[in-house]
């Protein structure tokens, strides 16, 4: 699972050369629209359009995209079930009152509410995945610097970014070596092996991090990473596409009003 | 578990951002001070951040269908205090949203409050109250890490319950229900996490104790005694 981060996909996606701000406006704008909408229609509309953009324009493998959705999807189903059981309404289909302060019921209103939240999660997730697969972190660092994110935070963010990959490398190697030596045979052994794994990788990548800082110090690092920001041209066609998409989504939000599933 | 994108209504997302921001600003201020005093802390901060990222991405599917994972924030809270940890966590949560589609951007505030502020704060309080007593150093780290993990989940449940109160019993009964769902997987996980992080801490004590002394994590004597026992 870890061998392929979204980052690798983002580096080679079809929308790589589109201006970063434009992609962020599209992604963040739709997240906001999903939250502002009070009906399930707008989030579904947004999810459909963005999924199309991800699959066709960014040329992301459909299988990868589906796999990304599985975890949030299963969690959404679970949490929405809780919401349906907890919230009440007038049209009761089923109810159960084991305690005076605790009751579960399924009503028309609660199904509407649950379905609405479910669609909002789907809409929001597709917008998030859209940003994730089209914009590599390196581009976002440039944006963060231009937005005056404090230098020290940016610095730490880049060190963490680097150490994630260092830790990953060592973790995979050590873990495979442990598995080959039957390190995860029983529960007790698993805990022991996992702790050894974490400990040795922690120290190992800490050393690597110190080497990195020392190497950078030797090259006049003063607590400020120089990021070479490529400024990507803003193309008229993509501006129009994003504007049209946001306009249409806003219209859907306004006209769908409070319409519900049932 | 992180709350995911779109799950919280707009006003709750905004409220949690407002709660998180002052803590982050104070954390950034502290971070600046620590780094000015001791540049060597930077690699350690980076590695702790990377570790939090990886530990909290280990999603274990739970019986109930939601997912649980360790948080790994306790160790950072012990070494650097809760406010710097909140900054590290904010960065990590942003990365997780953008690398793994885990969590979200509008709900980032809520996730920072649960995993970056309340959890580490709980761990830190335990650590501070036990640090200068005769309680074993590793036991202290274990308790701090396990409680940091548990309180993260208590806060997440509270955030969910506040946004979706039950019809009967209101916030309290939905809080109980959300807590119940998490407790099944989270209590054993918190214990495992505490054990693992305490063992990692033992590694640091035996291999690189100097940084712990400089950050004044534990009194010198305790570390010396622990080293001579090992």
């Amino acid at each position: 699972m870890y061998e392929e981060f979204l980052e690798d996909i983002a580096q080679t996606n079809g929308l790589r050369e589109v201006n970063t701000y434009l992609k962020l406006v599209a992604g963040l704008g739709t997240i906001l629209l999903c939250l502002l909408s009070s009906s399930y229609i707008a989030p579904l509309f947004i999810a459909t359009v963005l999924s199309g953009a991800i699959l066709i324009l960014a040329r992301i493998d459909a299988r990868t995209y589906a796999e990304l959705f599985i975890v949030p999807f299963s969690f959404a189903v679970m949490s929405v079930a809780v919401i349906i059981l907890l919230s009440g309404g007038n049209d009761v289909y089923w109810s159960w009152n084991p305690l005076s302060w605790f009751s579960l019921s399924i009503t028309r209103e609660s199904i509407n509410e649950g379905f609405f939240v479910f669609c909002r999660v789907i809409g929001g997730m597709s917008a998030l995945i859209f940003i994730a697969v089209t914009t590599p972190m390196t581009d976002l660092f440039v944006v963060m610097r231009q937005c005056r994110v404090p230098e020290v935070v940016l610095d730490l963010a880049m060190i963490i970014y680097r150490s994630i990959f260092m830790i990953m490398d060592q973790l995979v190697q050590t873990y495979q070596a442990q598995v080959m030596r039957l390190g995860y045979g029983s529960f007790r052994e698993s805990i022991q092996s996992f702790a050894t794994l974490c400990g040795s990788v922690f120290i190992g990548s800490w050393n690597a991090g110190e080497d990195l800082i020392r190497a950078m110090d030797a090259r006049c690092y003063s607590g400020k990473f120089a990021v070479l920001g490529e400024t990507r041209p803003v193309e008229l066609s993509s501006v129009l596409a994003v504007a049209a998409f946001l306009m249409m989504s806003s219209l859907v939000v306004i006209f769908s009003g409070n319409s519900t599933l049932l | 578990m992180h709350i995911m994108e779109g799950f919280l209504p707009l006003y709750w997302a905004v409220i949690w951002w407002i709660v998180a921001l002052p803590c982050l600003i104070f954390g950034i201020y502290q971070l600046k001070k620590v780094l000015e005093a001791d540049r060597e802390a930077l690699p350690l901060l980076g590695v702790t951040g990377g570790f939090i990222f990886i530990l909290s991405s280990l999603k274990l599917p739970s019986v109930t269908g939601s997912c649980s994972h360790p948080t790994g924030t306790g160790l950072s809270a012990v070494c650097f205090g809760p406010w710097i940890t909140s900054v590290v966590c904010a960065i990590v949560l942003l990365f997780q949203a953008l690398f793994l589609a885990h969590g979200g951007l509008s709900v980032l505030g809520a996730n920072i409050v649960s995993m970056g502020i309340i959890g580490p704060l709980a761990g830190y309080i335990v650590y501070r109250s036990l640090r200068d007593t005769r309680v074993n150093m590793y036991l202290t780290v274990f308790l701090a890490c396990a409680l940091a993990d548990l309180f993260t989940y208590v806060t997440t449940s509270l955030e969910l319950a506040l946004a979706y109160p039950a019809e009967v019993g209101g916030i309290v009964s939905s809080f109980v229900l959300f807590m119940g769902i998490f407790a099944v997987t989270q209590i054993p996980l918190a214990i495992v996490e505490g054990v693992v992080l305490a063992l990692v801490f033992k590694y640091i004590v035996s291999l690189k104790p100097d940084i712990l002394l400089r950050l004044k994590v534990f009194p010198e004597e305790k570390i010396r005694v622990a080293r001579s026992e090992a």
Side-chain angles (χ1 to χ4, degrees):
Chain A
M1 153 190 186
Y2 289 117
E3 281 81 21
E4 197 176 57
F5 277 123
L6 292 187
E7 191 65 4
D8 305 325
I9 306 172
Q11 293 285 1
T12 52
N13 84 92
L15 293 173
R16 175 86 166 85
E17 295 306 317
V18 177
N19 187 279
T20 317
Y21 284 99
L22 217 51
K23 288 185 279 197
L24 283 180
V25 166
L28 295 177
T30 42
I31 287 181
L32 193 64
L33 284 174
C34 277
L35 290 179
L36 286 173
S37 163
S38 47
S39 118
Y40 69 96
I41 299 173
L44 278 190
F45 170 76
I46 287 169
T48 319
V49 177
L50 281 180
S51 303
I54 292 170
L55 294 175
I56 298 164
L57 294 180
R59 293 194 294 275
I60 304 299
D61 184 36
R63 216 191 123 97
T64 318
Y65 183 55
E67 275 171 6
L68 280 175
F69 252 111
I70 289 174
V71 173
F73 196 81
S74 55
F75 175 65
V77 170
M78 184 59 214
S79 317
V80 162
V82 175
I83 293 178
I84 290 179
L85 288 174
L86 281 178
S87 53
N90 299 321
D91 260 349
V92 180
Y93 296 145
W94 174 85
S95 82
W96 183 50
N97 304 302
L99 297 165
S100 62
W101 53 275
F102 190 81
S103 91
L104 301 174
S105 63
I106 296 176
T107 64
R108 195 167 66 92
E109 286 83 350
S110 69
I111 291 179
N112 281 335
E113 164 88 358
F115 186 69
F116 166 54
V117 173
F118 182 73
C119 292
R120 205 169 57 195
V121 169
I122 299 298
M125 284 311 296
S126 60
L128 186 66
I129 295 179
F130 175 76
I131 300 180
V133 295
T134 58
T135 322
M137 206 62 218
T138 40
D139 287 3
L140 287 178
F141 283 137
V142 178
V143 171
M144 277 155 93
R145 171 154 294 161
Q146 283 163 353
C147 295
R148 304 286 168 87
V149 170
E151 219 45 78
V152 57
V153 176
L154 208 58
D155 219 36
L156 182 58
M158 290 192 209
I159 296 276
I160 292 178
Y161 177 76
R162 175 78 194 116
S163 36
I164 289 172
F165 292 101
M166 286 195 297
I167 295 175
M168 236 25 258
D169 277 350
Q170 295 193 26
L171 211 56
V172 171
Q173 275 182 16
T174 317
Y175 177 75
Q176 280 167 352
Q178 283 181 325
V179 170
M180 291 210 303
R181 289 164 183 78
L182 305 176
Y184 292 85
S186 66
F187 181 73
R188 260 188 77 97
E189 265 173 22
S190 302
I191 298 274
Q192 178 70 39
S193 300
F194 189 66
T196 328
L197 175 69
C198 289
S200 67
V201 171
F202 191 93
I203 299 283
S205 37
W206 185 4
N207 280 332
E210 279 183 341
D211 289 347
L212 176 75
I213 303 278
R214 226 172 278 132
M216 289 197 309
D217 276 344
R219 290 162 181 77
C220 303
Y221 171 63
S222 57
K224 187 179 170 182
F225 270 102
V227 183
L228 281 184
E230 300 167 55
T231 38
R232 302 212 164 77
V234 186
E235 283 162 12
L236 188 64
S237 58
S238 39
V239 174
L240 287 179
V242 170
F245 169 53
L246 288 179
M247 284 282 284
M248 265 167 64
S249 311
S250 317
L251 287 178
V252 175
V253 169
I254 294 166
F255 285 110
S256 59
N258 289 318
S259 47
T260 51
L261 179 67
L262 295 174
Chain B
M1 175 219 69
H2 308 338
I3 298 174
M4 49 187 176
E5 188 57 67
F7 200 74
L8 292 182
L10 187 60
Y11 54 94
W12 277 113
V14 173
I15 288 174
W16 293 118
W17 267 112
I18 294 173
V19 175
L21 275 179
C23 302
L24 286 182
I25 291 170
F26 185 63
I28 293 172
Y29 167 75
Q30 272 203 334
L31 181 64
K32 261 189 193 146
K33 267 201 338 203
V34 167
L35 287 183
E36 267 165 27
D38 191 356
R39 282 284 305 285
E40 301 265 310
L42 192 59
L44 181 57
L45 273 168
V47 177
T48 11
F51 246 79
I52 295 175
F53 179 94
I54 291 186
L55 280 179
S56 56
S57 316
L58 291 174
K59 285 177 282 199
L60 309 172
S62 81
V63 197
T64 49
S66 76
C67 56
S68 296
H69 57 73
T71 60
T73 50
L75 198 60
S76 170
V78 167
C79 291
F80 297 106
W83 311 113
I84 293 183
T85 306
S86 74
V87 180
V88 174
C89 263
I91 295 171
V92 167
L93 287 167
L94 181 70
F95 282 172
Q96 282 184 326
L98 296 174
F99 278 13
L100 306 165
H102 186 30
L105 295 176
S106 68
V107 292
L108 194 60
N111 286 331
I112 292 173
V113 170
S114 62
M115 192 172 126
I117 298 173
I118 306 290
L121 198 60
Y124 187 70
I125 291 170
V126 173
Y127 150 72
R128 276 311 288 261
S129 45
L130 293 179
R131 184 179 72 167
D132 298 320
T133 59
R134 299 186 45 172
V135 177
N136 181 292
M137 193 165 72
Y138 302 125
L139 186 65
T140 311
V141 175
F142 163 77
L143 285 175
C145 294
L147 283 175
D149 182 297
L150 272 185
F151 269 83
T152 302
Y153 282 80
V154 172
T155 319
T156 308
S157 310
L158 187 67
E159 283 167 355
L160 292 174
L162 283 171
Y164 298 103
E167 187 202 18
V168 182
I171 293 166
V172 178
S173 57
S174 57
F175 180 60
V176 171
L177 192 60
F178 280 115
M179 280 283 285
I181 293 175
F182 287 136
V184 182
T185 47
Q186 207 51 42
I187 291 176
L189 251 183
I191 295 172
V192 171
E193 177 179 342
V195 171
V196 168
L197 288 183
L199 287 172
V200 169
F201 189 76
K202 195 175 164 196
Y203 261 101
I204 300 179
V205 169
S206 57
L207 291 175
K208 297 185 103 169
D210 44 325
I211 188 108
L212 296 178
L213 291 176
R214 252 181 298 146
L215 291 170
K216 299 195 179 67
V217 178
F218 277 101
E220 207 174 328
E221 210 143 303
K222 258 190 164 174
I223 293 183
R224 201 179 311 125
V225 171
R227 272 172 69 83
S228 62
E229 278 170 8

